[in-house]
Amino acid sequence: MDANAVSRGQYGNGQGAQREGRFTAREKGCFLSHRDIFGANLNHDRPLFILEDDAVFGKRTCAMVDRVFSQSDNPDWDLLFTDICTPNINAMVDALRIRRELEAKKIEFALMNLTKINFVGSTAYLVKPQSKRKVYDLLCAADELNIPYDLYLRGLAHISALKVYAMFPFVTSLSAFSEMSQIKSTVDRKQLAWNLFRKMVWMERNLTECKPALEYLKSTLAEEELVEFNSLLTSPDKELKAFGILFSAAAAKAA
C-alpha cells in the first residue's frame, strides 16, 4: 500500500490517515495492506500465501508448501509462517540445535508452534482457506493501530485466538535488500544479525554467501564480546563457527 496515499487520506474512503492510533502512515499502510488482502480473498476456498517485497523463494519452496497441504498428520493451524525472526539469543540457539537434529534424522521440516515464542516479522506466511474470515475479523477489530502488524498477530497467537505455526527450517528467506526497510531508515548490528540468522537457518541457505556479512559482524565485536560463544568460534565445524560469530553479535550490547 502506498504510504503517501495513506498520509493524504486517499486510502479507501479517505480514512487511511484518519485511523486512530499513534502509527505513522507507513506503519498503518503495512497493517491495512495485510488486512485488505484477506478482505479481497474471502469469496474463494483457496489458501493464501502472503508475501512482502523482501521475501525470497528457493528451488524447493513451492514443493515444501505443497507438501504441507498434502500431509494429513499436521497440527491444526490458521497461519503458517515460512520464515520468522526470533530476536532472542536463547531462541536462536535452540533453533540451531533443532535444525541440526532434524538434519541428522533426515527430516526435511517440522511445524513449530509459535504460541509461546516471541517472534516478529510478517514477510511470508500461509493462510488456511477456512481461517481467512477468522483472521480478517480479528484484524478488523483493531480500532486503533498502535501495535505493528506482526506483533498484533503474535499477540493473537499468545492468547490462542489464532493457531500460529512456522515451517522449520524456514522454506523462504530474506532478500539481499531486506535491510532496506520501508519503515525503518537505519539498521543496527542486532537487526543485521537477526536478519542474517533467518538467512542462515532456512532450508536452502548458503553459508559461503553469508561469509562477508559474518566477517563484518565479527569486525564490530570487541574481544570480550566473543567469549560467551568461544566454544563455537573455535570449533572445526564450519557451521558452528559461523553461528558462533552470529550469536556473539546478537548477544552483544548495541554498538
Side-chain angles (χ1 to χ4, degrees), residues 47 60-75 77 79-82 108-111 126-128 165-169 171 203:
R60 303 172 64 196
T61 299
C62 293
M64 294 299 102
V65 169
D66 287 343
R67 187 168 300 177
V68 166
F69 286 103
S70 67
Q71 291 176 340
S72 59
D73 58 346
N74 288 326
W77 53 270
L79 302 180
L80 181 60
F81 284 83
T82 56
E108 288 189 299
F109 66 85
L111 299 193
L126 298 159
V127 188
K128 209 175 247 187
Y165 285 75
M167 297 179 70
F168 189 81
V171 299
M203 185 175 289

Side-chain angles (χ1 to χ4, degrees), residues 94-240:
D94 284 344
L96 175 60
R97 175 184 54 80
I98 293 170
R99 191 187 196 284
R100 288 170 68 91
E101 289 176 354
L102 291 173
E103 186 175 26
K105 296 176 182 177
K106 301 188 183 304
I107 297 174
E108 288 189 299
F109 66 85
L111 299 193
M112 180 187 298
N113 191 336
L114 299 183
T115 301
K116 297 182 179 180
I117 295 178
N118 286 327
F119 68 93
V120 298
S122 53
T123 305
Y125 59 97
L126 298 159
V127 188
K128 209 175 247 187
Q130 54 268 42
S131 299
K132 289 184 291 186
R133 170 62 69 177
K134 177 182 179 181
V135 179
Y136 180 67
D137 289 345
L138 288 167
L139 296 179
C140 288
D143 292 328
E144 293 190 1
L145 302 184
N146 295 319
I147 303 175
Y149 178 71
D150 54 344
L151 300 189
Y152 188 79
L153 292 182
R154 186 178 80 185
L156 294 173
H158 285 186
I159 63 172
S160 299
L162 287 177
K163 296 182 285 291
V164 183
Y165 285 75
M167 297 179 70
F168 189 81
F170 305 142
V171 299
T172 58
S173 190
L174 296 175
S175 75
F177 303 102
S178 57
E179 284 75 36
M180 299 170 62
S181 171
Q182 291 182 339
I183 296 176
K184 295 182 179 179
S185 58
T186 60
V187 177
D188 61 22
R189 182 172 64 188
K190 281 189 181 294
Q191 185 68 58
L192 178 60
W194 294 338
N195 286 352
L196 189 58
F197 176 77
R198 296 165 73 174
K199 297 173 185 178
M200 287 173 61
V201 296
W202 86 303
M203 185 175 289
E204 298 182 58
R205 59 101 186 270
N206 185 325
L207 291 180
T208 301
E209 293 180 356
C210 297
K211 189 174 179 179
L214 288 169
E215 289 178 345
Y216 167 75
L217 286 175
K218 188 175 182 180
S219 73
T220 69
L221 297 169
E223 288 187 15
E224 59 269 22
E225 292 175 319
L226 296 168
V227 172
E228 183 177 359
F229 295 99
N230 185 62
S231 62
L232 299 183
L233 291 166
T234 57
S235 171
D237 185 313
K238 291 183 179 180
E239 179 184 46
L240 293 180

Side-chain angles (χ1 to χ4, degrees), residues 15-25 27-28 142-147:
Q15 299 176 351
Q18 285 70 45
R19 286 296 299 268
E20 294 294 330
R22 59 179 180 268
F23 270 1
T24 66
E27 290 169 323
K28 289 180 182 180
D143 292 328
E144 293 190 1
L145 302 184
N146 295 319
I147 303 175

